[in-house]
Amino acid sequence: MSLSPTLALSLLKNPAAALPIFLAGLALLVLFFWYFATELESRKRNIGSILIVSLCLFCGLALTPIKETLKGGIDLVGGSSFTLLVEPKIDENNGQPLPLTTEDVKQARKTIEERLNKMGTTDMLIVEQGTDKLLIQMPGMTPEVAADIKVQLQKVARLELRKVNMDGFTPGPDGRSLAERIHTKDEPRMPGYEVFEHSYTVEGTKRDEFLLLSRRVALTGKDVQQAWPESMGGAHHVSVRLSNAGADKMLDLTGGMDLGRDRLAVVLDGKVITAPTVQAQLHKNFIIEGQENAKEARDLASTMLNPLENPLKIIEERTVSPTLGEAVVTQGLYAGIVGLSITALFVLIYYRTAGLIALVGLAVNTLMIFGGMAMFGFTFTLPGIAGMILSIGMAVDANVLIYERLREEIAAGKSLSTAIAASYEKAFTAIFDSNLTSLITAVILFWMGSGTIKGFAITLTIGIVASMFSAILVTRVLFRWSNDLHLLRKLSFLDLIKATKIDFLSMGKVSYIVSGALILASIGAFATRGERSLGIDFTGGTLIQFQLGKDNKLSQPEVEAALKSVEVTKLPTVQEESSITGELLTVRCATEDADKVVAHLRESIPLLAELVPGTDKEGKPTGTSVFKIQQSTEAVSPTLGKDFLIQSLIALALGLFGILVYITLRFEFSFALGGFIALLHDVVLSAGLIVLFGGELSLIHVGALLTIAGYSINDTIVIFDRIRESLKQGEGEIKDLMNEAINATLSRTILTSLTTIATVTILTIFGGAALKDFSAMILIGLVIGTYSSVFIASPVVLWWSQRKGGSLRKEVLHTTLAEADIQA
C-alpha cells in the first residue's frame, strides 16, 4: 500500500510531518468513537460536525493537486509499455545457457507481477508475447518512476551466501593480497574459488578490497522464507529469515567456522553486498547491511522475496493510448456526469428538503471515495469505477431506506424530531447488515483476488465505509442542526408509489420455472459456443503490430470503426503506441482471425493499403511492390490467465461462504440459503444472457459481474431485515407477514433500482462501445437482482423453513435472543 505521490513526497522530505498526520488520524478515530458513545444529542451534533469538517479537509488535502493525486488506469489514461526479453538461465557447472522453457517465461511473468503490484493497487497488464518475451503496460508514469520500474524489471535478485577463503588476504612480495594478484592475473586461479571486488564504507571513508570466494554456493534465495526492511538510528538494512532447510544449511556452514576470524559474503546478482566477520554460529535469522536509504532497503527486500530465475532485458519501451480509447473515456465521463445529475435531481424532487440533505451526504461520500483513493495511491480503472458506482448506489439506497422509514413514522403521527430519530434507528440494522455483507466480500476479494478483482475490491471497500459514514452520520448531524435552529418545521415527500398488498410468495413456483428455463438456456449457450463465449482477455490470441513510423498517423477510433464491418470469432482490441522509432498500431485478435483482420484493414484504410517499390537487403529494386506500412504478428497469452481465473473463483467462493456464515449468524440459515441462491442466480444469469444473445465475456465484464453480485446481496439483505422485523413484531401467518414486509419495502426497492438503472442506462446509450458492453451487463444484472430479491430469495426462505414443519418466527426469535445474550 502506498501513499499518494504528493503526501509521500512531503513525508520523505520532512519525516517530522508524519507525526502531525498520525495524530490527526488518531484524533478523528477518537471523535468517531466518542460520537457513538455519547448520549447527549447536542454533544453528538457538535462532535459529528467537527468530524465531518475535519474528514472533508483531510480528503481535500489528499486530493491537492488533483492532477497528480488521482491516478487513472491503463484502460482510462494509457501509460508506458515495456517489451522484455526473457533470457536463458546459466548452467552453474559449465557456464553455458540452458534451453528456455515455457515455465521459465511463466515464472518471470509471475515474479514481475509480484514485484510491481503485490498489493494490487496499480492497474497493470502483463502478457506473454511469442515464446521468449513479456509485454508489460502500466499507467502513465513520471520519468523518475519509469526509471525505477526499469531497475526493478531487470533486477534478478539472485541471492548467494559464500564462504570467504581467508588465505585470499595473504600479502605477496608487492604488498598486494593473493585475491588481488589473482584478479590481475599475476597469480594463477585457485581451483574451486573466484575473486570478487567489494566496496564498503568505514566512518564515511570508501574502501575497496578483493575477496576470494568459494565457487560452492552455501545458500541461495530459495532458502529465504521472509525478508523485510528495517531502519534504526539512520542506518538501513534488510532482515532475513531462512526456511527450515536453509536454517540447517546455515547452521552447518557457520558451525565449522573460526568465529571472530572467518567471514561470510552475501552476493546479490554477482555483486558482494556485505562480507561480515562471523561472530557467532548463525541459524535462522540474519541481516544484510549496506543500504543507503529506506527505499533501497525496501526494494531489496521485495526483490529478494520475488527472485527471477531468468534474467530479463528491456528491448523496447513505448507510450500507449488508453485501452478503451480516449473518445470512449470522454463519452463515458460525460454520460456518468449526466446520469448522476439525473439521480441527484430525482432525489431532490422526490424528497424535497430531505433530498437536499441527502445530496450533501452524497457529496461528502464522493469526496471521501476520491480522497481515500488519492491518499493511499490507488488506481482508478473501469472495474474500480464499477465499485464506485455500486458504493454510490448503496449510499442512495441508505438514504431512501431512512426516508421511507421517516415517511412511515410521520404518517403514524409522531413529531418531526421523534420521527427522524426513529427512522434512523429502525433503518440502521438494514444499512449495517447490507453494507457489512458487501464489505466482507470486498475484503475477501482483495485478500484472495488479483489485478482487476483487487481494483474493484479497493474502491468498493472505500466506498462502503464512505457511504455508511455519509448516510448514518452526515445526514443525521444535518437533521440535528436543522431541528435545533428551527429550520425544519415539517417534511413532505412525493408519494408516487402507493401501498400495495401483492401476494409475491405465491408467485414463487412461476419464478422458479422462468429462472430455471433461462439458466438452462444460458448453460446451453455456454456449452454450444464453447470458447467463442470468452473474449481474447480469457483465451489469448495474436498481436498484430503495424509500424507506422514517424511521419504517419492512424487513430484508434478509425481502426475500431473499420473493424466493425469484418466478421470475426472474437472482438479485436486496438491500441496506439509511440516510441523513439515512431508510431505503432497494435491489434489483439483471435489467432484464427489474424489473416482476415490484416486483409480487411489493408482494404479499408488507404494508408495501410499504400504500396511502394520493393528492395532487397542491399537496397536494390526488386521489381515488385510491397506495403509501405509493414506489419508483424506474434502469439500473446490471455490477459486473464488460468491462475487469475482459479484465484478469482476461489475468492468469489470464499466471499459467498463469508456471506452465508454472516447471514446465518445475524438472521437464520433459511435466510442465508435464500441469499446465496439469489446471488448465484443473478451472477450466472447475467453472464449467461450476454452469451445467449451472442456476446462474449471479457475483462470488462469481470467488474460488471462483481457489481451485480454486490447490488444483489445488498438488495436482498434490506428485504430480509424487514421480514425479520415483521416476524418479531407481527402476528398472523408467516407467509402473510413476509408478503407484508416485501410490500413495505417495495417503494424503496423500486426507487433505488430506478435511480441506479437511470444512471447505467445513460452509460449504455451514450457511452462508447466498451462502456456499452460494461453498462449493458450491469443494467441486465440490476433488473435480475431486483427480481431475484423478491421472487427468488424470499420464496426460498419460506420453502426451507417449512420443509420439515419448522417455524421461521421461532428460529428468528431464537437468533434474536442469542444475540441479546451475547451483548449482555
Side-chain angles (χ1 to χ4, degrees):
M1 196 178 291
S2 59
L3 293 171
S4 69
T6 306
L7 189 57
L9 187 61
S10 65
L11 292 180
L12 285 172
K13 288 180 177 178
N14 183 17
L19 182 60
I21 290 173
F22 171 76
L23 291 175
L26 190 62
L28 288 174
L29 195 62
V30 170
L31 283 173
F32 183 79
F33 284 110
W34 191 10
Y35 173 86
F36 286 102
T38 186
E39 296 293 331
L40 291 173
E41 285 294 310
S42 59
R43 188 178 292 166
K44 273 185 179 289
R45 180 199 65 195
N46 295 334
I47 294 170
S49 301
I50 295 169
L51 191 57
I52 294 165
V53 172
S54 302
L55 205 55
C56 287
L57 284 172
F58 217 74
C59 291
L61 286 172
L63 282 167
T64 308
I66 197 164
K67 286 187 177 180
E68 294 179 17
T69 54
L70 282 182
K71 301 189 298 183
I74 198 82
D75 52 355
L76 300 178
V77 299
S80 297
S81 171
F82 301 96
T83 303
L84 304 175
L85 179 67
V86 183
E87 298 183 326
K89 300 174 189 173
I90 301 298
D91 192 322
E92 293 181 2
N93 296 319
N94 56 28
Q96 296 300 310
L98 295 169
L100 189 70
T101 66
T102 54
E103 285 304 312
D104 291 337
V105 179
K106 290 183 185 299
Q107 190 273 340
R109 173 180 174 171
K110 185 178 179 182
T111 301
I112 289 301
E113 193 162 8
E114 283 288 315
R115 280 189 189 178
L116 300 183
N117 197 25
K118 187 171 181 62
M119 292 301 295
T121 59
T122 302
D123 179 42
M124 175 178 157
L125 176 91
I126 177 167
V127 294
E128 296 157 33
Q129 187 175 327
T131 58
D132 61 353
K133 288 190 283 294
L134 294 174
L135 176 65
I136 298 172
Q137 292 185 353
M138 298 185 73
M141 298 178 290
T142 62
E144 293 80 7
V145 174
D148 185 54
I149 292 294
K150 285 192 277 188
V151 171
Q152 290 190 57
L153 286 173
Q154 296 181 105
K155 195 165 190 175
V156 178
R158 178 176 172 79
L159 178 72
E160 299 173 342
L161 267 66
R162 300 193 188 197
K163 191 173 180 180
V164 179
N165 187 332
M166 301 306 291
D167 291 340
F169 297 107
T170 305
D174 56 0
R176 294 184 304 155
S177 68
L178 174 62
E180 185 177 354
R181 296 199 311 275
I182 293 174
H183 178 72
T184 57
K185 300 181 180 179
D186 293 323
E187 290 280 351
R189 288 184 179 182
M190 186 178 291
Y193 294 91
E194 58 182 319
V195 176
F196 283 77
E197 290 186 64
H198 177 220
S199 298
Y200 60 102
T201 304
V202 178
E203 296 179 354
T205 304
K206 187 177 179 182
R207 298 183 181 180
D208 298 303
E209 66 177 349
F210 292 90
L211 302 176
L212 190 60
L213 303 186
S214 172
R215 285 185 178 274
R216 181 178 171 274
V217 178
L219 287 95
T220 69
K222 292 181 180 179
D223 297 308
V224 174
Q225 185 182 65
Q226 189 59 268
W228 64 96
E230 288 187 336
S231 301
M232 190 177 295
H236 310 280
H237 64 262
V238 175
S239 293
V240 180
R241 180 183 295 125
L242 298 172
S243 63
N244 291 333
D248 291 340
K249 293 178 185 177
M250 178 66 85
L251 200 61
D252 292 340
L253 175 65
T254 57
M257 286 186 169
D258 183 355
L259 301 179
R261 176 182 176 273
D262 285 355
R263 294 169 65 181
L264 185 64
V266 179
V267 183
L268 186 72
D269 290 343
K271 180 181 177 182
V272 176
I273 301 297
T274 183
T277 301
V278 180
Q279 303 292 347
Q281 190 173 5
L282 301 176
H283 187 219
K284 198 161 189 174
N285 299 295
F286 65 95
I287 63 173
I288 300 176
E289 298 176 316
Q291 287 73 59
E292 293 184 4
N293 52 54
K295 182 182 180 302
E296 190 177 328
R298 187 169 59 249
D299 289 346
L300 176 58
S302 174
T303 50
M304 281 181 61
L305 284 174
N306 302 289
L308 281 166
E309 294 181 10
N310 294 74
L312 296 178
K313 181 181 178 182
I314 296 175
I315 58 175
E316 195 164 16
E317 181 181 353
R318 307 185 190 120
T319 57
V320 294
S321 65
T323 54
L324 294 179
E326 291 180 13
V328 172
V329 174
T330 305
Q331 286 173 338
L333 183 63
Y334 287 133
I337 291 170
V338 171
L340 290 173
S341 300
I342 289 174
T343 300
L345 189 63
F346 172 80
V347 170
L348 191 60
I349 292 171
Y350 199 84
Y351 291 111
R352 298 172 183 172
T353 306
L356 185 61
I357 290 174
L359 292 184
V360 175
L362 288 173
V364 173
N365 173 65
T366 306
L367 178 63
M368 285 180 65
I369 292 174
F370 283 108
M373 294 292 285
M375 197 177 299
F376 296 103
F378 295 142
T379 304
F380 270 107
T381 61
L382 190 62
I385 290 171
M388 191 172 122
I389 290 171
L390 175 58
S391 61
I392 291 175
M394 290 170 73
V396 172
D397 184 44
N399 283 293
V400 171
L401 268 171
I402 293 166
Y403 291 167
E404 290 303 302
R405 283 285 193 174
L406 183 54
R407 185 201 301 275
E408 293 174 17
E409 298 299 323
I410 291 172
K414 293 181 180 178
S415 67
L416 183 59
S417 59
T418 306
I420 290 171
S423 63
Y424 273 88
E425 185 180 340
K426 289 183 177 181
F428 177 79
T429 54
I431 295 170
F432 181 81
D433 286 331
S434 60
N435 279 274
L436 194 59
T437 49
S438 297
L439 188 60
I440 288 169
T441 310
V443 170
I444 291 172
L445 289 175
F446 180 78
W447 170 46
M448 290 295 298
S450 61
T452 302
I453 303 291
K454 280 193 175 182
F456 173 85
I458 287 164
T459 318
L460 181 58
T461 302
I462 294 173
I464 289 170
V465 174
S467 65
M468 287 188 71
F469 179 84
S470 63
I472 294 171
L473 194 147
V474 176
T475 57
R476 185 71 181 96
V477 168
L478 291 174
F479 271 122
R480 284 192 177 99
W481 277 111
S482 300
N483 272 330
D484 294 347
L485 297 174
H486 306 293
L487 298 176
L488 279 181
R489 301 288 180 183
K490 66 174 185 177
L491 285 174
S492 60
F493 312 117
L494 284 181
D495 190 15
L496 301 178
I497 304 169
K498 305 298 181 182
T500 57
K501 291 185 178 180
I502 303 170
D503 186 2
F504 290 105
L505 294 176
S506 295
M507 305 177 192
K509 289 182 180 178
V510 176
S511 305
Y512 294 158
I513 292 169
V514 172
S515 293
L518 287 172
I519 287 171
L520 286 173
S522 300
I523 293 170
F526 270 111
T528 304
R529 296 188 64 195
E531 200 177 85
R532 287 181 298 143
S533 61
L534 300 175
I536 300 167
D537 293 325
F538 288 99
T539 62
T542 295
L543 184 73
I544 305 166
Q545 296 183 327
F546 291 96
Q547 306 286 343
L548 300 178
K550 293 184 177 180
D551 302 323
N552 302 302
K553 183 73 176 175
L554 198 57
S555 70
Q556 189 172 342
E558 184 182 353
V559 178
E560 287 174 343
L563 288 172
K564 286 181 180 178
S565 57
V566 62
E567 291 185 11
V568 289
T569 57
K570 297 183 189 302
L571 295 172
T573 59
V574 183
Q575 255 187 311
E576 296 175 60
E577 301 185 13
S578 59
S579 66
I580 56 172
T581 59
E583 299 294 315
L584 192 76
L585 182 84
T586 63
V587 180
R588 282 205 310 149
C589 64
T591 302
E592 59 268 31
D593 295 332
D595 292 340
K596 192 187 296 184
V597 166
V598 171
H600 182 78
L601 289 176
R602 294 282 189 198
E603 292 171 5
S604 308
I605 300 174
L607 177 62
L608 298 182
E610 193 175 336
L611 297 171
V612 293
T615 57
D616 59 19
K617 292 181 180 180
E618 297 177 356
K620 296 178 181 179
T622 59
T624 59
S625 296
V626 296
F627 286 112
K628 178 183 176 180
I629 305 298
Q630 295 295 306
Q631 108 246 352
S632 61
T633 57
E634 268 191 305
V636 288
S637 66
T639 307
L640 308 177
K642 184 180 177 183
D643 291 342
F644 172 88
L645 291 177
I646 293 171
Q647 205 170 5
S648 299
L649 287 172
I650 292 171
L652 286 170
L654 286 173
L656 287 171
F657 179 73
I659 290 171
L660 196 69
V661 171
Y662 179 78
I663 299 177
T664 302
L665 294 174
R666 281 287 288 156
F667 293 81
E668 201 277 328
F669 182 72
S670 301
F671 291 95
L673 185 65
F676 179 84
I677 289 175
L679 180 57
L680 211 59
H681 164 276
D682 297 347
V683 172
V684 171
L685 203 51
S686 298
L689 288 177
I690 294 292
V691 176
L692 189 62
F693 290 114
E696 58 184 41
L697 299 177
S698 63
L699 173 63
I700 210 166
H701 292 115
V702 173
L705 280 174
L706 292 170
T707 307
I708 291 163
Y711 179 85
S712 171
I713 196 64
N714 180 75
D715 200 33
T716 303
I717 291 293
V718 169
I719 294 174
F720 281 178
D721 186 82
R722 193 59 178 255
I723 290 173
R724 180 176 60 177
E725 183 183 319
S726 294
L727 292 172
K728 286 194 290 185
Q729 298 176 359
E731 294 181 358
E733 292 292 324
I734 302 296
K735 182 180 176 182
D736 294 337
L737 289 171
M738 290 180 70
N739 271 320
E740 183 184 313
I742 297 169
N743 278 285
T745 57
L746 189 62
S747 59
R748 168 259 152 205
T749 302
I750 293 172
L751 288 172
T752 302
S753 298
L754 284 178
T755 52
T756 313
I757 286 171
T759 304
V760 177
T761 301
I762 290 168
L763 276 174
T764 306
I765 295 170
F766 298 107
L771 280 178
K772 282 182 180 178
D773 290 343
F774 170 74
S775 49
M777 189 174 203
I778 291 183
L779 190 60
I780 292 168
L782 288 174
V783 175
I784 293 170
T786 304
Y787 154 81
S788 72
S789 298
V790 175
F791 295 101
I792 301 295
S794 299
V796 168
V797 172
L798 183 64
W799 164 72
W800 185 263
S801 64
Q802 292 180 340
R803 67 189 182 92
K804 290 185 178 180
S807 170
L808 186 60
R809 181 188 279 114
K810 287 182 181 179
E811 292 169 352
V812 168
L813 290 173
H814 177 75
T815 305
T816 306
L817 289 171
E819 284 182 0
D821 290 340
I822 291 170
Q823 290 172 0

